[in-house]
Amino acid sequence: MRKLLSVFLILFLSSIATQTLASDFYVRKGATGTNLGTDWVNAWNELSQINFSSLSCGDTVWIAGGTYTSALKGNKSCTAGQILTIARVQATDINPAAAPGWDPSFDSQVVVPYIDIPGPSAYITINGRVPNGIQVLIPGSSGDGIDGGNGAGDGVNQPIDNITFTYIEVYGPPCVTDGNCTNGGVMGVNIMPYCNGANRTHLLFDHMSVHRTGEAFRGCGWDNSIVQYSLIYDTHNDGQQHEDILYSNPPYQNVTWRYNKIFQSPNDGIFFEYGPGAVNFAFYGNVVYHSGGWLMCFKTGSGDTYGPVFIYNNIFENDNTFGDYQPGFLGFSNMASGSEVANNVFENVSPNAEDPPPNASHNAYTLSDASDGGSGSFYYSPGSLGASTLFVNESPGNPAAADFHLTAQGAATLASGETLPAPYDIDPDGNVRGAGGGSWSIGVFQALSQAPAPPINVYGVYR
């Protein structure tokens, strides 16, 4: 009996210990208590007050809505079982809502000047909880919305691993649209320190809104990372940077871009320079529209290869009203063996501005000079650019409202896609392509025999 009671006691104490490992800390602008982060009365009153040495892996830092003047930083190495979470608070959060000093007004947008994960850092999640729940409002005339891996800025790149950014808006300053930014310009996400080795790994950018920037994303040293369910739009030549959606140098490997809406990109969209780059780069289920000039570029002249790349089930659309050049175009060059471009819609867009797309098949075109010669590829008539009869609403006058689900005519026209393996068999709404022996739709959304259910995944919020 004593042995049995001892076992129960050990288990009970272990359970208590496990439950007490994770603690809650608090940040509230204007808090005037002890500022030790212990509750809302005694919260840290600025992001710079967060004491990472007092945090344990597994803890949660809750941030009340408000405008903060210091950066949100994360510099701690944790593990998969003990993730450090930094989150905008909501009224439905049990512990924070019960903490001394709670007020429902804390459930509001958090505004910060930038986010920095200097490294070495691992297993940190920064979560806005709702679309644009955390807004990075870049001040001044230069700077980055999100940085990572730059250590103390001393020229030594630091590893960051398993860092998640979700429900965050990155919004640049007015100098971007004025074209007069200074000191390197404005970048939405700049995780490209020193380009030495692939040590920025397992990065996840989810449900983001990145807009009014010179470059939206700049990446180097990335490995096993994902950009998904995000709105990326309104890039400009800000006087310092070209208007890239992505500018990448190698190493950039095992990276996936999926289920994103990309628009108002005038030129230099997804841009890879120098090789070997874009190794195992998967780009699928994205809509790149109301954009002109380069939509995707693998730059010639480096003498090195790109890829393999896998460009599947996307829509590339130029409505002839926006961008530096019409029609739009993609440029493939020096593609590695195994690359493939299949099941894409190219509406007023040519994919062969340089070399033909590699292993192209089952692509749909509106331009008669854009043939890829692949099996299953064909031409169709959009009816009218910007008002294609194949899609619900292309909306060039209000691109945020565009809806590229298929009409009945679109479903019939785009009903003969190439069957591809997982994970390429899921559309952004979660529908399985070709389920039940049905056809595999070309383009982003799978045609259904009944009206689609409400999307299970929403994007960021357009401003």
Side-chain angles (χ1 to χ4, degrees), residues 148-178:
N150 59 351
D154 57 2
V156 179
N157 59 321
Q158 295 290 342
I160 59 176
D161 178 47
N162 277 278
I163 311 297
T164 294
F165 306 90
T166 185
Y167 290 109
I168 297 171
E169 176 190 15
V170 180
Y171 187 27
C175 72
V176 172
T177 52
D178 295 339

Side-chain angles (χ1 to χ4, degrees), residues 28 39-42 96-106:
R28 177 173 67 87
D39 55 38
W40 295 115
V41 175
N42 302 296
W102 165 256
D103 188 282
S105 66
F106 298 166

Side-chain angles (χ1 to χ4, degrees), residues 219-235:
C220 176
W222 290 28
D223 186 17
N224 282 291
S225 298
I226 297 174
V227 179
Q228 66 178 16
Y229 291 109
S230 295
L231 295 183
I232 306 168
Y233 63 99
D234 197 23
T235 56

Side-chain angles (χ1 to χ4, degrees), residues 65 118 121 166 236 258 274 281 327 361 394 404 411 423:
S121 305
T166 185
H236 297 263
R258 62 185 180 189
Y274 309 117
F281 175 62
S361 69
E394 291 187 324
F404 284 87

Side-chain angles (χ1 to χ4, degrees), residues 66 94 117 175 230 289 311 370 414 446:
I94 296 173
I117 311 292
C175 72
S230 295
Y289 66 104
I311 314 297
L414 302 174
Q446 175 65 28

Side-chain angles (χ1 to χ4, degrees), residues 398-422:
N398 181 16
D403 184 349
F404 284 87
H405 285 86
L406 298 174
T407 62
Q409 182 175 344
T413 303
L414 302 174
S416 56
E418 175 186 346
T419 299
L420 299 168

Side-chain angles (χ1 to χ4, degrees), residues 177-365:
T177 52
D178 295 339
N180 61 4
C181 297
T182 60
N183 297 322
V186 173
M187 284 165 275
V189 175
N190 183 16
I191 300 184
M192 192 173 174
Y194 320 118
C195 273
N196 297 320
N199 66 350
R200 275 73 80 190
T201 61
H202 301 96
L203 308 178
L204 174 61
F205 297 90
D206 173 67
H207 290 84
M208 305 284 289
S209 290
V210 182
H211 59 114
R212 198 166 75 176
T213 61
E215 294 177 358
F217 282 77
R218 175 175 277 209
C220 176
W222 290 28
D223 186 17
N224 282 291
S225 298
I226 297 174
V227 179
Q228 66 178 16
Y229 291 109
S230 295
L231 295 183
I232 306 168
Y233 63 99
D234 197 23
T235 56
H236 297 263
N237 186 324
D238 62 8
Q240 303 286 307
Q241 301 293 340
H242 287 184
E243 52 270 33
D244 302 294
I245 293 297
L246 164 69
Y247 177 76
S248 172
N249 284 170
Y252 193 86
Q253 60 196 33
N254 307 309
V255 177
T256 294
W257 283 53
R258 62 185 180 189
Y259 311 143
N260 301 292
K261 294 177 72 173
I262 299 169
F263 57 96
Q264 288 177 205
S265 171
N267 201 5
D268 287 358
I270 311 293
F271 194 96
F272 294 95
E273 187 168 24
Y274 309 117
V279 178
N280 291 319
F281 175 62
F283 189 84
Y284 66 92
N286 304 283
V287 190
V288 184
Y289 66 104
H290 192 59
S291 296
W294 287 109
L295 304 185
M296 182 176 290
C297 174
F298 299 88
K299 187 177 180 181
T300 58
S302 69
D304 291 310
T305 59
Y306 296 100
V309 300
F310 310 100
I311 314 297
Y312 295 140
N313 279 101
N314 303 286
I315 295 173
F316 297 94
E317 182 252 30
N318 170 263
D319 55 37
N320 233 21
T321 68
F322 187 89
D324 295 345
Y325 307 97
Q326 285 84 32
F329 47 91
L330 280 67
F332 294 94
S333 62
N334 304 324
M335 289 286 109
S337 175
S339 298
E340 186 174 21
V341 177
N343 292 348
N344 301 286
V345 175
F346 295 99
E347 188 163 295
N348 201 39
V349 171
S350 171
N352 54 5
E354 293 174 337
D355 296 333
N359 294 317
S361 69
H362 298 82
N363 296 303
Y365 299 94

